[in-house]
Amino acid sequence: MSLFTQGQDAREALLHKELSELTEHHRAHCAEYDRILTASGFTSAETVAGLPWMPVRLFKNLELKSIPDDEVFKVLTSSGTTGEVSRIYLDKAAAATQTRQLGATLQTVLGPKRLPMILADSRGILKDRRSFSARGAGVLGMATFGRDHAWALDVDGRPDLPALRTFLDRHGTGPFLIFGFTYLVWLHLYEVAREHGLDLSNGILIHSGGWKKLVDQAVSPEEFRRRLRDDTGLTRMHNFYGMVEQIGTIFLEGPSGGSLYCPDFADVIIRNPRTWEQQPVGEPGLIEVVSTLPTSYPGHVLLTEDLGVLDGVDDGDWPGKRFSVIGRLPRAEARGCSDTYREAA
């Protein structure tokens, strides 16, 4: 089963209908969201790109939820300094849907069965309550998609070569899953595997985040893939892009590498940061992400603080748009709906 099947025209038609309905749902059930839309003068949109976007920063400043307090099942927080975290409110239905759709997205490259799994991290992160909310939660969340887990680092954060060798002796001849943040995969799995001749050729790597630390070492995404392939035998690698403000939605790198793809229930728009118009293929701008999953809070159309570029449409490994993330907008302070809200308050 694949969740990467919709060509762009069909995707646009389906998403426009569902996202328009979600916009009205959130407007009816979230007073703050209604104030923002009323102040901006929004009534309806002919296209997905015409729907009103919310800056992700608003989730750090406002309590935005479309469910009553007694239906809040889980509150997720993003990483950040104290007071500078997003709070995302889920009811039981939304929590179940995001878990199911994340699993279905990953099944596209992992298959339907849970695979033995290497976690390119330290079990010790589970003891650090400060990092647990972000990194630890991310690792634990992904761990549910694997079994017979091995940690690449011991409790003190040192490479655990015996654990890796034991895992590979037991599971290395068949497919297995590897998950980690990109820089940790590079520093604590790739370098250990290269030095000790570990064979990772049957692995499927899912990784995300931390590119800045690799750029500082002059390691590009292309170099990352090449070195892992040449030195460890690992050929199946999928970077992904996602955020807590659209939990359950990830944009997954295709088998050929180089671009991120949108699952059928989501899409991406690259906007000119001065005019807010859509950028054509090849022109960088701010990344807007849309998803039908946020039903308990108005996070279905979000303007991020990340820069990206559209690489192509219906011309890659999978149908739909494909894009790349360039990096963070320096001291991002996107003006738009949030300013309208402040003026209307």
Side-chain angles (χ1 to χ4, degrees):
M1 172 190 168
S2 173
L3 274 186
F4 296 86
T5 63
Q6 294 285 353
Q8 194 56 36
D9 288 347
R11 179 190 306 261
E12 170 80 22
L14 286 170
L15 288 180
H16 176 256
K17 180 178 184 297
E18 289 194 44
L19 293 170
S20 296
E21 290 172 355
L22 267 179
T23 299
E24 292 310 310
H25 168 79
H26 291 307
R27 187 169 204 169
H29 293 89
C30 178
E32 291 85 354
Y33 185 67
D34 178 50
R35 290 172 69 189
I36 292 169
L37 265 55
T38 299
S40 68
F42 175 80
T43 54
S44 64
E46 297 298 316
T47 63
V48 170
L51 290 166
W53 43 258
M54 295 269 282
V56 290
R57 185 170 291 268
L58 275 191
F59 289 91
K60 300 183 192 302
N61 304 326
L62 298 175
E63 183 181 273
L64 295 164
K65 64 178 188 293
S66 304
I67 51 175
D69 290 345
D70 61 0
E71 289 183 18
V72 174
F73 171 66
K74 188 183 292 185
V75 182
L76 303 175
T77 58
S78 64
S79 57
T81 56
T82 304
E84 272 286 294
V85 296
S86 294
R87 286 176 175 78
I88 303 303
Y89 297 87
L90 302 177
D91 58 11
K92 283 188 176 180
T97 299
Q98 60 95 357
T99 301
R100 183 176 65 252
Q101 292 298 76
L102 175 59
T105 303
L106 291 171
Q107 278 185 17
T108 301
V109 295
L110 298 179
K113 294 183 179 179
R114 284 197 304 154
L115 299 176
M117 185 175 191
I118 294 173
L119 297 161
D121 216 313
S122 165
R123 192 188 301 270
I125 63 163
L126 305 184
K127 295 181 178 179
D128 183 349
R129 304 309 298 182
R130 287 178 305 169
S131 69
F132 180 75
S133 66
R135 181 171 143 198
V139 171
L140 277 186
M142 286 297 299
T144 61
F145 299 107
R147 60 179 175 86
D148 299 342
H149 304 86
W151 295 84
L153 303 177
D154 64 20
V155 174
D156 298 317
R158 293 186 296 255
D160 194 340
L161 186 59
L164 290 173
R165 282 188 163 143
T166 298
F167 177 92
L168 292 169
D169 287 344
R170 185 177 300 155
H171 300 296
T173 57
F176 59 91
L177 170 59
I178 305 168
F179 171 74
F181 294 96
T182 306
Y183 73 98
L184 292 173
V185 171
W186 179 263
L187 293 176
H188 300 305
L189 185 62
Y190 162 71
E191 291 190 351
V192 171
R194 183 193 62 185
E195 182 180 348
H196 296 280
L198 302 182
D199 180 5
L200 304 180
S201 58
N202 285 318
I204 305 170
L205 171 63
I206 305 291
H207 66 105
S208 182
W211 280 110
K212 183 180 184 302
K213 297 184 182 183
L214 291 188
V215 170
D216 293 342
Q217 297 187 31
V219 180
S220 66
E222 295 75 24
E223 178 81 351
F224 179 89
R225 293 178 68 88
R226 185 186 68 78
R227 296 271 289 276
L228 276 159
R229 182 191 68 227
D230 293 351
D231 295 341
T232 74
L234 187 66
T235 58
R236 287 173 289 179
M237 293 171 258
H238 301 274
N239 184 24
F240 73 86
Y241 174 69
M243 63 206 70
V244 71
E245 292 87 359
Q246 259 185 18
I247 190 73
T249 304
I250 61 170
F251 300 86
L252 195 61
E253 188 177 32
S256 302
S259 285
L260 299 159
Y261 292 80
C262 310
D264 291 341
F265 56 85
D267 208 356
V268 65
I269 294 163
I270 308 297
R271 291 199 182 274
N272 183 309
R274 291 183 178 84
T275 67
W276 304 117
E277 295 299 313
Q278 291 191 76
Q279 294 284 60
V281 171
E283 290 292 324
L286 274 174
I287 298 173
E288 175 187 317
V289 287
V290 304
S291 169
T292 61
L293 297 194
T295 54
S296 58
Y297 65 99
H300 56 307
V301 185
L302 295 181
L303 188 72
T304 75
E305 297 175 349
D306 296 319
L307 292 168
V309 62
L310 199 61
D311 297 326
V313 183
D314 291 332
D315 64 350
D317 294 336
W318 297 322
K321 293 177 182 175
R322 56 188 184 90
F323 69 103
S324 298
V325 179
I326 299 170
R328 298 282 284 178
L329 188 68
R331 297 191 62 81
E333 189 64 73
R335 291 184 60 84
C337 290
S338 59
D339 302 282
T340 305
Y341 177 84
R342 281 194 290 268
E343 288 157 12

